[in-house]
Amino acid sequence: RLLARCLCMHPSTRFLVSLTVPLLAAACYINSLHGKLAFDDNFAIISNGDVSQGNPLWNMLFTDFWGQDITSDQSHKSYRPLCTLTFRLNYMLHGHEPFGYHVVNLILHAIVSWQMYHFIYTLFSHFNVNTRSSDTSFSISYISALMFATHPVHTEAVSGIVGRAELLCAFFYLLALLLYHYAVHDNTSRSRIYTIGCFICFVLATVSKETGYTGVGMVLLYEMLLGRMYRGRAMRIACSFLFAASYVIFRKILTVSFTLNNYRRLENPIAFAEPQSTRIMSIGYLHTRYLWTLVYPRYLSADWSFDAIPLVTSIHDPRIFAIIAAYGVVGLAALLSAFYSWRGSVAAKLILWLVAFGVATFFPASNILFYVGTMLAERLMYLPSIPYCVLAAWLMVSLIVRIFPTPADVVPKHQTPPVVETPGEEPHDDPTVMASPSRSTIRRRIKTTRAATAAVKEAKASVESPLYLSTLDSVQVVVLVAVVALVVSAYTWRTYDRNFAWESEEALFLDAINVAPGSAKVWQNVAILHRRTGNWTAALDSLYLAKKIEPNYCECDYWIGVTFMNQGHIQKGVDMLKQSLGCKYSAVQAIQALHTVYQEFLRVSPDDPSLVVQWGEILEKVEKNDDAARQFFQAGVMLFEKKRTDDAMPLFERALRLDPQGSVHCRVAYWLGSCHISKGSMSKAMPYMKIAAQEDCLGDLEVYKKAQETYLNILIDTLSKDPSSATLRADLGEALVGYGQHDKAVQQLYEAGLMLYNSGDVRGSLRLLRRVKEVGEEHKVLVNGPGGVNTYELSLWLATALMQTDPSESYAYFLHAAGSSDPKVVNRAREGMGMAQPG
């Protein structure tokens, strides 16, 4: 009887009792406060520039949860700036000290646990769900909150710091639903305030984690199942669609791509499974595993990557029965609640809404519309576990009432409809008095009659529903308390014990290897732990086991390589590190390790060009072409100085091919030209010396001057052997320009231009003649008489060439040539003017 009275307590006393929910939630996780930053915490906090590397605050509006540019193809596409902001505030207060981060998570979980109790109790007590008093409403709300506060599946979300996204999202999500409930059932002007507050909370939930977006569907379903035709309904529905459309547009503009594009087979093998039937069956089994984790949270792990959960590849796999059972239970609950909802049962409507709540909040992680970046993650069940706990508590209370019946549970099949008085009218004592009601009174009577009819229908449906519950008596309370105490105690013990696994990475991965021994990623992490203790043999064994599970796990090559080096097997280590250069996930670390190794090699053997070539090949493999070219150039010089010209030339050519316009291309070209000169091949040396003699090589003045002088001598020597070559003469002219001999340069260019004109190459001739005019006028080396390039004759030749390409431009040059003192030039100019006369 005492226990029975406890459930019939005053509301203020119930409030005090409900505070045991956050207290128990905090007690469960008190041992998590001394945990270190582990697993993904390092990426979200230490390596995140928005948190701990001094990036401007506004930068987190354009980056993902891990600090990467959200428009990048490599981005995780997780837009959670509010969560990142809380990490930033933590860092500003106490740096990387993990205690403060854990305190915030613990407080948030305690608040969300009480929030859940308050929200469920508000719903149940408002609708007076299947009870003749508030006893059972309080029982279900309180039990479900205790289960939620202590459920072991939440350890990853609470003890793991990155799980704060789940906690923040749940906080604003539940607050938004509560405000929406108030907005729906408040027929005053405050309804609009509740509606605005609701959607502000949904925005905050969504920028904490994307799951918050599903709240739009939940409020629309609430409106359809449990709403009332009060004023403001149109506004609420309009706000729902406006929020849904606005977020989609904003997300598309911000992230370019909605979903993750760089997931790997290692993290989510379902995305790469073939054929399609394997994907479908494996997704079904994944959903079953999630549901089973809620029901029986014994086996928990921080990592479920490939191949911890083998794919379902055949319909003969016995796990098919588990899939059928899981979908059958959820489907049957949805169908029964839909059936009784159709018959008017408020309890069934609420159950249907709770089932939808669980499905909707789980849907973003379901791999149905898009693939996610993880096979299974327990933190993703934080919000979906709320309806599970409520329905489990409801079922628990229902079964106890059915198993231990009392006289109070016997409900008559027919109930008298409630007496409903019309608002605004006084009852008449004298039945003979007949008042003439106004139109407004008639409308109120019709409305009230309809409401009374609906209330009778709902009451009848609720009584007939198998979910009907009555006031609990003392026997039922004793049984209920015993069952709840057993369940909550088991949850509390498992949660408290599970928190120890999150104290450090060492504890986390050693615990994971017992639960998910088929995970390649777990074995690699265990190998890293062995390396920290200097157990190289055990580390290699773990790494080879990871490679056996997933042969394409390329990061293991890097760790195998450095472990070989730790053992003193340098060449084996170098070979494995070279192999890991093709892995984009470990290439940076591999190149750093190889750089250290080759620096040591070269310190011991500084004159060995083969070491320099090997290092250059490594740099070329990771596409560091400029650095690779330097190494090949350095090795080529070493070989050239050792009189090994034939070995040096391929290295110079390789360097020039890798970086044709880089920082060493001038030197490379000069040395390659020198190689050809040493072999007596001037014609092959000429193009390389030409490269080194160009103006963009002025930065390396010594090489530039040597190359210019050598190139000039080669041209003069070659031209003497072939004086009719216009190309050689033009090249000599350009070389003389660079050498500062402008008068000789314009003479060579002028002669080359005339040679091209006479050979029929008018456009080539025009180009050279214009070059003569440009250089001659700039350096004032054109003359009006003999003794050089005559400016009037130059104009005459330019006009003559232009007559064949652009006659309209030739007139000005003919006009200028007519000013010559040479009668022949004047006559030819006047003839040309006649032909090129404008108009």
Side-chain angles (χ1 to χ4, degrees):
R1 292 177 181 176
L2 179 61
L3 291 172
R5 291 193 187 101
C6 289
L7 292 176
C8 301
M9 58 188 73
H10 191 271
S12 61
T13 309
R14 281 182 180 158
F15 171 76
L16 293 176
V17 171
S18 71
L19 293 181
T20 58
V21 172
L23 291 175
L24 184 57
C28 283
Y29 289 95
I30 196 69
N31 60 331
S32 71
L33 296 179
H34 302 290
K36 300 176 183 177
L37 296 177
F39 207 24
D40 290 339
D41 299 344
N42 297 304
F43 300 103
I45 297 172
I46 297 177
S47 303
N48 191 338
D50 294 333
V51 175
S52 57
Q53 296 179 12
N55 289 352
L57 279 174
W58 52 265
N59 191 68
M60 65 181 64
L61 297 175
F62 306 99
T63 54
D64 64 15
F65 187 53
W66 312 99
Q68 293 180 309
D69 179 7
I70 201 164
T71 61
S72 168
D73 290 338
Q74 301 303 314
S75 170
H76 193 267
K77 303 299 179 183
S78 48
Y79 187 66
R80 305 165 192 173
L82 184 58
C83 185
T84 305
L85 179 61
T86 65
F87 290 153
R88 178 73 169 257
L89 294 175
N90 269 123
Y91 178 77
M92 291 170 63
L93 290 174
H94 48 78
H96 290 145
E97 174 58 42
F99 180 80
Y101 296 93
H102 285 296
V103 167
V104 174
N105 278 25
L106 187 148
I107 292 173
L108 281 172
H109 177 61
I111 293 173
V112 171
S113 299
W114 186 87
Q115 229 182 339
M116 177 203 167
Y117 155 77
H118 180 64
F119 174 63
I120 299 302
Y121 182 70
T122 301
L123 285 182
F124 277 51
S125 59
H126 175 84
F127 293 109
N128 196 23
V129 177
N130 292 337
T131 64
R132 285 176 292 193
S133 74
S134 59
D135 298 358
T136 314
S137 298
F138 175 76
S139 300
I140 295 173
S141 307
Y142 184 63
I143 294 168
S144 61
L146 289 177
M147 292 175 64
F148 178 83
T150 59
H151 204 295
V153 81
H154 299 154
T155 51
E156 184 176 354
V158 183
S159 298
I161 295 171
V162 294
R164 186 177 300 178
E166 314 289 339
L167 305 176
L168 282 171
C169 179
F171 171 77
F172 290 112
Y173 199 100
L174 287 175
L175 184 57
L177 292 178
L178 184 64
L179 290 173
Y180 197 86
H181 169 79
Y182 290 151
V184 168
H185 299 288
D186 192 309
N187 198 23
T188 67
S189 59
R190 289 179 300 182
S191 176
R192 292 183 178 180
I193 299 175
Y194 290 140
T195 301
I196 294 171
C198 163
F199 285 99
I200 289 175
C201 287
F202 273 137
V203 170
L204 295 175
T206 306
V207 296
S208 297
K209 191 176 180 184
E210 295 78 359
T211 311
Y213 182 69
T214 62
V216 178
M218 294 316 303
V219 296
L220 288 174
L221 184 61
Y222 184 95
E223 191 78 56
M224 183 175 69
L225 292 175
L226 301 165
R228 292 290 183 266
M229 293 298 293
Y230 292 154
R231 64 178 182 178
R233 190 178 197 186
M235 174 188 173
R236 293 192 299 272
I237 295 175
C239 285
S240 299
F241 284 106
L242 179 63
F243 171 74
S246 299
Y247 179 74
V248 169
I249 295 170
F250 169 76
R251 177 88 181 187
K252 179 62 177 176
I253 294 172
L254 180 70
T255 64
V256 180
S257 174
F258 281 102
T259 57
L260 178 69
N261 296 319
N262 63 341
Y263 48 78
R264 306 167 59 190
R265 180 171 180 264
L266 180 71
E267 276 87 18
N268 190 356
I270 290 177
F272 301 87
E274 294 293 344
Q276 188 68 26
S277 58
T278 297
R279 296 188 190 183
I280 295 172
M281 291 186 292
S282 298
I283 289 173
Y285 182 67
L286 185 65
H287 298 169
T288 303
R289 284 295 296 261
Y290 272 115
L291 182 61
W292 182 244
T293 303
L294 289 176
V295 176
Y296 185 65
R298 174 66 182 87
Y299 300 103
L300 304 174
S301 174
D303 188 280
W304 292 96
S305 56
F306 186 87
D307 192 25
I309 303 176
L311 300 177
V312 181
T313 58
S314 169
I315 59 173
H316 302 294
D317 192 313
R319 291 176 292 175
I320 290 291
F321 295 106
I323 298 172
I324 295 171
Y327 276 92
V329 168
V330 176
L332 184 62
L335 287 174
L336 285 176
S337 57
F339 172 74
Y340 283 104
S341 297
W342 175 71
R343 297 189 63 180
S345 170
V346 177
K349 290 179 180 179
L350 193 53
I351 289 178
L352 182 60
W353 187 81
L354 287 170
V355 171
F357 186 166
V359 172
T361 52
F362 174 69
F363 195 75
S366 65
N367 284 283
I368 294 178
L369 281 184
F370 51 84
Y371 296 111
V372 295
T374 181
M375 182 70 170
L376 187 149
E378 291 143 18
R379 64 179 180 274
L380 302 180
M381 297 306 294
Y382 193 78
L383 260 176
S385 66
I386 292 176
Y388 165 77
C389 292
V390 176
L391 294 174
W394 199 338
L395 181 62
M396 191 185 303
V397 175
S398 301
L399 289 175
I400 289 174
V401 170
R402 295 291 182 268
I403 295 172
F404 301 97
T406 65
D409 294 324
V410 180
V411 181
K413 291 186 178 181
H414 303 285
Q415 291 189 351
T416 304
V419 178
V420 182
E421 294 183 357
T422 304
E425 291 190 49
E426 296 294 332
H428 297 286
D429 295 331
D430 187 354
T432 63
V433 178
M434 301 294 293
S436 298
S438 64
R439 290 184 179 180
S440 60
T441 303
I442 292 173
R443 283 196 296 270
R444 283 197 299 272
R445 285 178 177 176
I446 293 173
K447 184 176 180 180
T448 305
T449 303
R450 289 175 178 172
T453 303
V456 171
K457 184 180 178 181
E458 289 182 0
K460 184 177 179 181
S462 297
V463 170
E464 293 176 353
S465 170
L467 303 170
Y468 184 88
L469 301 176
S470 64
T471 306
L472 298 172
D473 77 342
S474 57
V475 175
Q476 294 167 340
V477 169
V478 169
V479 177
L480 181 60
V481 169
V483 173
V484 171
L486 180 63
V487 172
V488 172
S489 297
Y491 278 4
T492 302
W493 173 83
R494 180 70 181 108
T495 299
Y496 190 84
D497 180 67
R498 175 69 180 151
N499 290 333
F500 289 114
W502 284 89
E503 282 192 340
S504 64
E505 287 190 341
E506 290 81 359
L508 191 63
F509 296 132
L510 290 175
D511 177 81
I513 206 65
N514 296 321
V515 180
S519 169
K521 198 172 183 180
V522 168
W523 281 110
Q524 180 191 265
N525 289 321
V526 170
I528 295 172
L529 297 181
H530 288 312
R531 283 180 45 79
R532 292 176 184 175
T533 59
N535 192 346
W536 313 122
T537 303
L540 284 173
D541 290 342
S542 298
L543 288 167
Y544 280 120
L545 184 55
K547 287 284 288 184
K548 182 179 179 181
I549 295 171
E550 172 55 296
N552 296 321
Y553 196 5
C554 56
E555 290 101 310
C556 290
D557 296 335
Y558 164 76
W559 290 109
I560 292 172
V562 294
T563 306
F564 272 138
M565 289 189 173
N566 294 134
Q567 287 184 318
H569 305 310
I570 304 300
Q571 191 55 50
K572 284 185 177 181
V574 169
D575 292 341
M576 290 304 297
L577 287 174
K578 287 181 179 179
Q579 185 174 321
S580 71
L581 291 174
C583 178
K584 66 179 180 179
Y585 305 103
S586 61
V588 174
Q589 296 94 322
I591 198 71
Q592 291 172 348
L594 286 168
H595 179 261
T596 303
V597 171
Y598 276 93
Q599 286 290 99
E600 182 62 22
F601 285 167
L602 290 169
R603 186 187 67 80
V604 176
S605 305
D607 298 326
D608 187 351
S610 65
L611 294 174
V612 182
V613 172
Q614 290 176 25
W615 178 233
E617 289 173 342
I618 290 170
L619 292 171
E620 182 182 7
K621 191 171 183 179
V622 294
E623 298 182 352
K624 291 182 175 290
N625 292 340
D626 188 58
D627 294 332
R630 285 196 187 93
Q631 300 304 316
F632 292 135
F633 167 68
Q634 182 183 344
V637 172
M638 294 168 69
L639 290 169
F640 184 82
E641 291 176 346
K642 292 180 178 182
K643 309 301 182 183
R644 295 170 58 183
T645 306
D646 291 338
D647 294 330
M649 288 175 65
L651 293 176
F652 287 137
E653 290 171 352
R654 192 172 182 180
L656 196 61
R657 184 179 66 254
L658 280 175
D659 201 16
Q661 298 296 326
S663 58
V664 295
H665 81 284
C666 298
R667 294 185 184 184
V668 173
Y670 173 76
W671 280 91
L672 189 54
S674 299
C675 287
H676 284 295
I677 291 172
S678 69
K679 293 174 70 66
S681 180
M682 296 295 181
S683 59
K684 292 182 178 180
M686 188 187 305
Y688 297 112
M689 288 300 178
K690 183 178 180 179
I691 293 173
Q694 291 176 353
E695 290 185 358
D696 59 352
C697 292
L698 279 170
D700 197 339
L701 191 58
E702 182 181 358
V703 170
Y704 172 74
K705 288 183 177 180
K706 288 180 179 180
Q708 194 179 54
E709 183 177 355
T710 306
Y711 179 53
L712 191 61
N713 291 332
I714 293 174
L715 281 173
I716 293 172
D717 181 67
T718 308
L719 189 61
S720 66
K721 297 175 182 177
D722 186 12
S724 62
S725 173
T727 303
L728 285 174
R729 197 170 293 277
D731 288 343
L732 178 58
E734 292 291 353
L736 289 169
V737 171
Y739 211 60
Q741 298 181 14
H742 302 106
D743 53 342
K744 294 181 180 179
V746 295
Q747 185 66 44
Q748 297 296 328
L749 290 169
Y750 181 66
E751 292 177 8
L754 296 183
M755 292 170 71
L756 288 175
Y757 183 83
N758 292 329
S759 67
D761 186 0
V762 178
R763 294 189 180 277
S765 172
L766 187 59
R767 178 180 57 81
L768 288 177
L769 292 173
R770 281 178 167 168
R771 177 62 173 157
V772 171
K773 181 176 177 61
E774 177 189 349
V775 175
E777 290 180 350
E778 181 181 355
H779 298 284
K780 299 179 180 180
V781 293
L782 297 178
V783 297
N784 296 326
V789 178
N790 187 284
T791 182
Y792 298 111
E793 291 182 2
L794 176 61
S795 294
L796 181 62
W797 281 107
L798 277 168
T800 303
L802 283 169
M803 282 294 290
Q804 299 181 45
T805 57
D806 189 4
S808 62
E809 190 181 350
S810 64
Y811 182 82
Y813 287 105
F814 278 130
L815 184 62
H816 178 262
S820 173
S821 58
D822 186 343
K824 293 181 180 180
V825 174
V826 172
N827 290 336
R828 288 180 59 191
R830 287 177 177 174
E831 290 177 5
M833 288 171 64
M835 291 185 290
Q837 182 71 29

